[in-house]
Amino acid sequence: MRILSVSTSEHGGGAEKVARDLVQGFQSHGHDAWLAVGRRQSADSSVILIPQERDYKPRNPLAPPSLSVDEIGAAAGRGEEDVYFPGTWDLLDLPPARPDIVHCHNLHGWYFDLRVLPWLSHAAPTVLTLHDAWTLSGHCAHSLSCERWRHGCDACPDLGLYPALQTDGAGDNWRRKRDIYRRSRLFVTAPSRWLMDRAHAGILQEGIVESTVIPNGVDTETFIPGDKLTARRTLGIADDAVMLLFAANGIRNNPWKDYPGLRTVLGRLGARLSDRRLLLVGLGDSGPPEQIGSAQIVFHPFERNPARLAVFYQAADVYLHMARAESFGLVIAEAMSCGVPVAATAVGGIPELLRSFRSFGDDGVPAHGRDRATGLLTRAGDIDDLVDGLTVLLNDATLCARLGENAQREARARFDVRRVVSRYLEWFSEAVLPRVVEGRRAAPRTAAARDAGAWVGELTRALPEGRPPVVLMYHRVVETQTDPQVLAVRPSRFAEHLEAIRRVGRPMSLRRFVEALRTGAAPPDAIVVTFDDGYADNLLNAKPILEALEVPATVFVTTGPLDEPGHEPWWDVLERVLLLPGHLPDAMTLATVQGRQTFQLGAASRYGEEEARRLAGWSVLSRDTPTPRHHLYRFLHKVLLNLRDDTARRAAIAHIRRWANDEADCRPRHRFMTRAEVAQLAEGGLVEVGAHTVTHPILARLPADVQRTEILESRQVLETIIGRPPLLFAYPYGFIGSFNTDTVDILRQGEFLGAVTTVQSPTRRGADPFQIPRMVVRDWPGAVFEANLTAFIASATLR
């Protein structure tokens, strides 16, 4: 891939560091990657300066007219955000080759014209990684306690927050941003769920095509534990001092940090530890030392050298972070990587980084115990609780050591920059580029290609002989009232799909395909049909159509439901309870890792037939969340998906059903197959049965022995039913990270031939038979399916 990243500069605060590290990571994976900046600070050839001249004349004919200096000044006087940087409109022409992906980071900082986004995001797939909440507001990078960003930002209460305004134009800025996003196609990432939830609750949601949470990364080979005494002597810090560290780009005047609170904590903590020398090093500021009672604060300028920065962490007893707003907390992750316990206020995304060894109340962060905790979290503003916790921590060297070990282990597992780079690259290839192909299909490039048939013809003529094979992924062939997980294809359309498959390529069984792949070949033009889960409609509706058109298929069956006649999977139960007409209690209260959460349904507790019909087409792919029921559905689906234990998941579903007073039987159209039906499905040999575990878990989250049970027990059950062992496997959920090397080893040892994922890509020669990608199929009309299939193949052959 060719990736052009965009940032204010290559050096600076956390956002700039993250952007630079990702570019270097992309390069280390063999990709062409460049960093376009508003302020260039190095001679690195991969760093490109975006022209900053106000009178720059863009080559892009769509660029708006440049403004004079006087006009820009007048706009600032009206309270407009300064986005008048015409060089942005030539962004795609700046690198040596046109990028496949544009990856934007902070777009504020007086260097970028936000008005370019509608054109840019249609001209090239555009990823926006959020580092703060500026995109959501009328001017500020963080709104603190203000909620005006949700509704319009009129009557801004604090024009001085960065980036400041001269006069109150925040409402007009908010509306301009909303209009920009409405015309854009953005792939959005955030380092924390907290920030992503805000993005979906604000105006940015209007332009989001796909979104995902990917944490920021740290170099866990540079930020490592070290000898504390050696580090202190390097820095000139007394061996016997109790040393706290706080790092920020500007400490005393940083509006997002709580420096007054920090001083108060230090004064009270010094009184508690009066017999010891208490020192706080403020890293990222300059000035004379400050004495607060018996405690002292010394300042050190911003440290750009990572190895030198690591020495400060290694010297500290505890890293103390007090913030008013924080999207992630990169310095917290760096401290954890160095094996330093962290004490922090539970603000923004910080609770997603840390596990606290003590709770701050029934409605606060729960305690995790010494074996799992990585530090201390306290409620923002609760000085007494923070001082109490720090006193315990600093008086217990064993506890400090245990938390530091846990923190270092957690950082390596979650925040290693190499792992983060891989997650970005996987998301680019699996989510961003396939959706771009889909978007281009929706807007054909020429008038002659406006209808699906002409579009297919245009692509087909461009495809070379021996085009790469494709494995298709279906789930259901049935007509349903609702389909929030987008799993169903109507039988009439499924028949059209099979006819298109015969026109575009050569239908092939998955077993034959895998056998060829294991020899190092990828059978050209092959198209393979697969189904996941084991719904009864695979037998009742899909098999007759497959037989009529002589197209082979493989159905991957989850075996646990075979012993529960009339079983409806948990995701369908959730749909039945929340998205079908009926009356529910006004509120649901749940115990979560963030404490007890209450969801108010309000008027949505009553859900009538007419409203249900109107919203029947809603799915998890929809940008909106039209009612509190749909919001609760999204939340509960995520919670249930992430439960590791099937027993816990069943208990949670039972709790939800009791809350909803749901006593309904399984809907016939939503049941899984019985044992007898699985045997009937396998008769004739056209449809092969594959294994899909016993309980459909995310395998990588289970210990190896539990994975082995899930895989081999499902294989044994199916062998008993069909009279031969299944040779093929589908990973439940199937995304990268849903299975691991243990999973693959178990499959190999269990004599499986291969396994399929949900990674979206044609299959290339030499592909791993145990990581076969697939194309997800939706309920498309036949002509649209044929266009999508042909374009999917083209995405691999026309690059």
Side-chain angles (χ1 to χ4, degrees), residues 3 5-27 33-35 37 103-106 127-132 189-192 195 214-219 223 302 304 306 309 326-334 353 415-418 420-421 424 428:
I3 305 166
S5 295
V6 180
S7 182
T8 50
S9 64
E10 65 267 48
H11 298 293
E16 290 84 359
K17 176 179 172 55
V18 168
R20 184 186 70 247
D21 287 349
L22 286 174
V23 169
Q24 293 173 349
F26 299 154
Q27 292 169 342
W34 309 275
L35 181 63
V37 298
H103 185 190
C104 298
H105 292 268
N106 268 351
V127 174
L128 174 59
T129 289
L130 303 178
H131 296 275
D132 57 35
T189 71
S192 64
L195 184 55
I214 302 177
N216 292 331
V218 299
D219 186 351
F223 293 100
F302 178 80
R304 181 178 295 178
L309 177 56
E326 197 73 74
S327 298
F328 178 77
L330 188 65
V331 288
I332 293 175
E334 291 172 346
L353 276 72
F415 309 131
D416 182 273
V417 69
R418 283 155 287 276
V420 170
V421 167
Y424 267 102
F428 290 171

Side-chain angles (χ1 to χ4, degrees), residues 692-754:
H692 201 40
T693 72
V694 177
T695 67
H696 202 277
I698 298 177
L699 287 166
R701 298 181 182 175
L702 303 177
D705 60 331
V706 181
Q707 290 194 47
R708 183 174 291 105
T709 299
E710 283 280 348
I711 293 169
L712 298 186
E713 281 194 7
S714 69
R715 175 186 171 97
Q716 181 180 4
V717 168
L718 292 173
E719 181 177 2
T720 301
I721 294 172
I722 64 177
R724 55 188 177 277
L727 300 176
L728 302 166
F729 185 83
Y731 303 105
Y733 306 105
F735 54 84
I736 295 297
S738 66
F739 56 95
N740 54 25
T741 54
D742 287 338
T743 322
V744 176
D745 288 344
I746 294 165
L747 292 173
R748 293 184 191 276
Q749 295 163 9
E751 298 182 353
F752 284 89
L753 291 179

Side-chain angles (χ1 to χ4, degrees), residues 12-78:
E16 290 84 359
K17 176 179 172 55
V18 168
R20 184 186 70 247
D21 287 349
L22 286 174
V23 169
Q24 293 173 349
F26 299 154
Q27 292 169 342
S28 71
H29 279 257
H31 299 282
D32 293 328
W34 309 275
L35 181 63
V37 298
R39 290 175 288 281
R40 189 179 183 188
Q41 299 173 316
S42 72
D44 187 341
S45 61
S46 65
V47 177
I48 302 168
L49 179 65
I50 302 171
Q52 295 297 292
E53 298 85 1
R54 299 290 192 154
D55 59 353
Y56 177 85
K57 302 300 181 185
R59 295 185 294 276
N60 189 332
L62 299 179
S66 300
L67 299 184
S68 67
V69 173
D70 289 341
E71 290 172 321
I72 294 171
R78 296 190 296 270

